[in-house]
Amino acid sequence: MEPIVLSTTFAQDGPGAHKGYDYSRAGNPTRGALERCIASLEGATDGIAFGSGCAATTAVLLMLKSGDHVLVGDDVYGGTFRIFDKVLAQFGLEASFIDMSNPARVDEAMRPNTRLVWLETPSNPMLKVFDIAAIAAVTAARGVPLAVDNTFATPMLQRPLALGATLVVHSTTKYLNGHSDVVGGAVLTSDAAIAERLRFLQKSVGGVPSPFDCYLVLRGLKTLAIRMKRHVETARIVVDHLARHPQVTRVHYPGLKSHPGHDVAARQMSAPGGMISFELNGALEQAAAFLRALRIFACAESLGGVESLAEHPAIMTHASLPPEARRALGIGDGLIRLSVGLEDPADLVADMARGFDEAR
Ligand code: P1T
């Protein structure tokens, strides 16, 4: 197993004569092993690890400068929206958010100062699916890099770089670690100049993960393939149950034929993943009662761990979106997001029955 190298500094033979590592913010053997591992999973030449998904996102955006514009898929994690809206806007970085379901709209929305296109697919929390290859063709024609947050899919189900994306971003907090005991992030790319700049930013801004956290993510990655297989199998059972339930008005899951992105998902993903959102018939009170009644699903933010989680995006993960933006996306009072874990599927279905009873 990869050793955990906790040293912050490395003895040099003489000034400047180090043996590959000088200081752990700049480089660390355990972190290097994690970076190479995730890079290989995504088919990238380079991996740059960070102390959180948000730190990874911020590092990518710090490659830009004041006056630049980023075109962003309209449905992204609330914390990602907040980085654009409340942090980098102060430094003159412009962002606009559009539904990228129609790739032609991406082309129309590009501005002369657009320097990056950013999307999540499947997206958080509406599970929208955007066509990475078609959008990459649009961005490549204009020489603009495309960044894909691949947190929901993981490289087991979707490899954005092979579809033409320039950068892949991960919250390793989620499926890659898989055990809800590390907060981490990573950026993967095969563009040498971008990798060099990101490494410089990693060292300069310093949002690096600890060696122990890198070790844990490496350990989690050993079971990623088998975990994702089981997440997908159980999600299908949960989705079939939800789709038939009289208290459910809508299920958002790319594996459903009725999902508007189903065909694109079938093309670009090897399976539709373990994340589901659905609309419960009723008001906020019913959704809260559903979440309070669950015993196996924990009512909690985050996703991608061995244990099932359920949450209320409007109040929890997406509270940082302005109410009108939430409404436009369909993040309403009845929307519940599930991260399907590795428990016995029958236990999960029984748990949801408890929730539906209380929400009646
Ligand atoms: O939490 P952190 O490791 O900083 O990752 C941020 C992040 C980035 N991208 C996506 C798609 C995410 O879902 C997240 C974090 N999301 C949650 C905590 C959540 O419950 O949705």
mmCIF file of all heavy atoms in Angstrom, residues 64-70 84 87-95 113:
data_model
loop_
_atom_site.group_PDB
_atom_site.id
_atom_site.type_symbol
_atom_site.label_atom_id
_atom_site.label_comp_id
_atom_site.label_asym_id
_atom_site.label_seq_id
_atom_site.Cartn_x
_atom_site.Cartn_y
_atom_site.Cartn_z
ATOM 1 N N LEU A 64 -7.983 32.317 -14.937
ATOM 2 C CA LEU A 64 -8.575 33.402 -15.726
ATOM 3 C C LEU A 64 -8.226 34.744 -15.097
ATOM 4 O O LEU A 64 -7.626 34.812 -14.027
ATOM 5 C CB LEU A 64 -10.097 33.205 -15.793
ATOM 6 C CG LEU A 64 -10.513 31.823 -16.326
ATOM 7 C CD1 LEU A 64 -12.015 31.667 -16.282
ATOM 8 C CD2 LEU A 64 -9.984 31.612 -17.741
ATOM 9 N N LYS A 65 -8.628 35.821 -15.776
ATOM 10 C CA LYS A 65 -8.324 37.136 -15.216
ATOM 11 C C LYS A 65 -9.540 38.040 -15.289
ATOM 12 O O LYS A 65 -10.535 37.719 -15.960
ATOM 13 C CB LYS A 65 -7.108 37.744 -15.899
ATOM 14 C CG LYS A 65 -7.230 37.914 -17.384
ATOM 15 C CD LYS A 65 -5.922 38.473 -17.939
ATOM 16 C CE LYS A 65 -6.046 38.927 -19.386
ATOM 17 N NZ LYS A 65 -6.959 38.224 -20.262
ATOM 18 N N SER A 66 -9.417 39.154 -14.612
ATOM 19 C CA SER A 66 -10.485 40.144 -14.571
ATOM 20 C C SER A 66 -10.916 40.507 -15.992
ATOM 21 O O SER A 66 -10.062 40.710 -16.863
ATOM 22 C CB SER A 66 -9.937 41.382 -13.838
ATOM 23 O OG SER A 66 -10.882 42.391 -13.858
ATOM 24 N N GLY A 67 -12.237 40.558 -16.208
ATOM 25 C CA GLY A 67 -12.755 40.887 -17.535
ATOM 26 C C GLY A 67 -13.043 39.665 -18.389
ATOM 27 O O GLY A 67 -13.721 39.756 -19.411
ATOM 28 N N ASP A 68 -12.539 38.493 -17.978
ATOM 29 C CA ASP A 68 -12.853 37.262 -18.710
ATOM 30 C C ASP A 68 -14.275 36.812 -18.365
ATOM 31 O O ASP A 68 -14.822 37.144 -17.307
ATOM 32 C CB ASP A 68 -11.874 36.134 -18.329
ATOM 33 C CG ASP A 68 -10.479 36.342 -18.912
ATOM 34 O OD1 ASP A 68 -10.306 37.246 -19.747
ATOM 35 O OD2 ASP A 68 -9.558 35.589 -18.507
ATOM 36 N N HIS A 69 -14.829 36.030 -19.270
ATOM 37 C CA HIS A 69 -16.203 35.523 -19.095
ATOM 38 C C HIS A 69 -16.192 33.996 -19.118
ATOM 39 O O HIS A 69 -15.457 33.394 -19.905
ATOM 40 C CB HIS A 69 -17.089 36.065 -20.231
ATOM 41 C CG HIS A 69 -18.435 35.424 -20.318
ATOM 42 N ND1 HIS A 69 -18.785 34.516 -21.298
ATOM 43 C CD2 HIS A 69 -19.539 35.558 -19.523
ATOM 44 C CE1 HIS A 69 -20.043 34.132 -21.107
ATOM 45 N NE2 HIS A 69 -20.526 34.742 -20.043
ATOM 46 N N VAL A 70 -16.973 33.410 -18.237
ATOM 47 C CA VAL A 70 -17.132 31.949 -18.212
ATOM 48 C C VAL A 70 -18.592 31.626 -18.510
ATOM 49 O O VAL A 70 -19.502 32.223 -17.914
ATOM 50 C CB VAL A 70 -16.761 31.350 -16.839
ATOM 51 C CG1 VAL A 70 -16.760 29.826 -16.894
ATOM 52 C CG2 VAL A 70 -15.411 31.853 -16.369
ATOM 53 N N PHE A 84 -18.580 31.537 -8.240
ATOM 54 C CA PHE A 84 -18.743 32.513 -9.326
ATOM 55 C C PHE A 84 -19.394 33.789 -8.811
ATOM 56 O O PHE A 84 -18.927 34.899 -9.053
ATOM 57 C CB PHE A 84 -19.630 31.920 -10.438
ATOM 58 C CG PHE A 84 -18.930 30.922 -11.315
ATOM 59 C CD1 PHE A 84 -19.228 29.562 -11.232
ATOM 60 C CD2 PHE A 84 -17.980 31.334 -12.234
ATOM 61 C CE1 PHE A 84 -18.588 28.644 -12.047
ATOM 62 C CE2 PHE A 84 -17.334 30.426 -13.061
ATOM 63 C CZ PHE A 84 -17.640 29.075 -12.963
ATOM 64 N N VAL A 87 -17.595 35.172 -4.938
ATOM 65 C CA VAL A 87 -16.148 35.271 -4.712
ATOM 66 C C VAL A 87 -15.454 35.897 -5.931
ATOM 67 O O VAL A 87 -14.906 36.995 -5.844
ATOM 68 C CB VAL A 87 -15.530 33.886 -4.386
ATOM 69 C CG1 VAL A 87 -14.039 34.018 -4.109
ATOM 70 C CG2 VAL A 87 -16.239 33.261 -3.181
ATOM 71 N N LEU A 88 -15.530 35.214 -7.079
ATOM 72 C CA LEU A 88 -14.711 35.684 -8.204
ATOM 73 C C LEU A 88 -15.340 36.850 -8.951
ATOM 74 O O LEU A 88 -14.632 37.590 -9.653
ATOM 75 C CB LEU A 88 -14.367 34.511 -9.116
ATOM 76 C CG LEU A 88 -13.424 33.523 -8.391
ATOM 77 C CD1 LEU A 88 -13.132 32.308 -9.232
ATOM 78 C CD2 LEU A 88 -12.108 34.203 -7.999
ATOM 79 N N ALA A 89 -16.647 37.058 -8.769
ATOM 80 C CA ALA A 89 -17.278 38.256 -9.358
ATOM 81 C C ALA A 89 -16.620 39.515 -8.806
ATOM 82 O O ALA A 89 -16.444 40.507 -9.516
ATOM 83 C CB ALA A 89 -18.779 38.256 -9.068
ATOM 84 N N GLN A 90 -16.191 39.456 -7.533
ATOM 85 C CA GLN A 90 -15.520 40.602 -6.906
ATOM 86 C C GLN A 90 -14.210 40.954 -7.594
ATOM 87 O O GLN A 90 -13.699 42.049 -7.439
ATOM 88 C CB GLN A 90 -15.166 40.270 -5.451
ATOM 89 C CG GLN A 90 -16.328 40.206 -4.516
ATOM 90 C CD GLN A 90 -15.820 39.935 -3.107
ATOM 91 O OE1 GLN A 90 -15.000 39.065 -2.900
ATOM 92 N NE2 GLN A 90 -16.321 40.696 -2.157
ATOM 93 N N PHE A 91 -13.643 39.969 -8.300
ATOM 94 C CA PHE A 91 -12.369 40.195 -8.990
ATOM 95 C C PHE A 91 -12.589 40.417 -10.488
ATOM 96 O O PHE A 91 -11.656 40.311 -11.275
ATOM 97 C CB PHE A 91 -11.420 39.024 -8.733
ATOM 98 C CG PHE A 91 -11.041 38.893 -7.286
ATOM 99 C CD1 PHE A 91 -11.778 38.085 -6.422
ATOM 100 C CD2 PHE A 91 -9.966 39.610 -6.772
ATOM 101 C CE1 PHE A 91 -11.452 37.986 -5.082
ATOM 102 C CE2 PHE A 91 -9.620 39.507 -5.434
ATOM 103 C CZ PHE A 91 -10.370 38.707 -4.582
ATOM 104 N N GLY A 92 -13.847 40.661 -10.864
ATOM 105 C CA GLY A 92 -14.132 41.015 -12.249
ATOM 106 C C GLY A 92 -14.266 39.842 -13.193
ATOM 107 O O GLY A 92 -14.207 40.000 -14.406
ATOM 108 N N LEU A 93 -14.445 38.623 -12.658
ATOM 109 C CA LEU A 93 -14.706 37.469 -13.525
ATOM 110 C C LEU A 93 -16.216 37.411 -13.765
ATOM 111 O O LEU A 93 -16.994 37.345 -12.825
ATOM 112 C CB LEU A 93 -14.214 36.178 -12.860
ATOM 113 C CG LEU A 93 -14.209 34.963 -13.777
ATOM 114 C CD1 LEU A 93 -13.091 35.072 -14.810
ATOM 115 C CD2 LEU A 93 -14.029 33.674 -12.979
ATOM 116 N N GLU A 94 -16.585 37.426 -15.040
ATOM 117 C CA GLU A 94 -18.009 37.388 -15.380
ATOM 118 C C GLU A 94 -18.426 35.949 -15.628
ATOM 119 O O GLU A 94 -17.653 35.170 -16.200
ATOM 120 C CB GLU A 94 -18.238 38.112 -16.702
ATOM 121 C CG GLU A 94 -18.339 39.608 -16.657
ATOM 122 C CD GLU A 94 -18.668 40.089 -18.066
ATOM 123 O OE1 GLU A 94 -19.831 39.960 -18.484
ATOM 124 O OE2 GLU A 94 -17.734 40.532 -18.755
ATOM 125 N N ALA A 95 -19.658 35.623 -15.233
ATOM 126 C CA ALA A 95 -20.178 34.279 -15.528
ATOM 127 C C ALA A 95 -21.624 34.405 -15.969
ATOM 128 O O ALA A 95 -22.369 35.237 -15.448
ATOM 129 C CB ALA A 95 -20.080 33.387 -14.300
ATOM 130 N N ASN A 113 -15.123 37.580 -25.062
ATOM 131 C CA ASN A 113 -14.231 37.411 -23.905
ATOM 132 C C ASN A 113 -14.486 36.099 -23.138
ATOM 133 O O ASN A 113 -14.010 35.937 -22.009
ATOM 134 C CB ASN A 113 -14.347 38.606 -22.946
ATOM 135 C CG ASN A 113 -15.759 38.800 -22.406
ATOM 136 O OD1 ASN A 113 -16.717 38.327 -23.008
ATOM 137 N ND2 ASN A 113 -15.898 39.476 -21.276
#
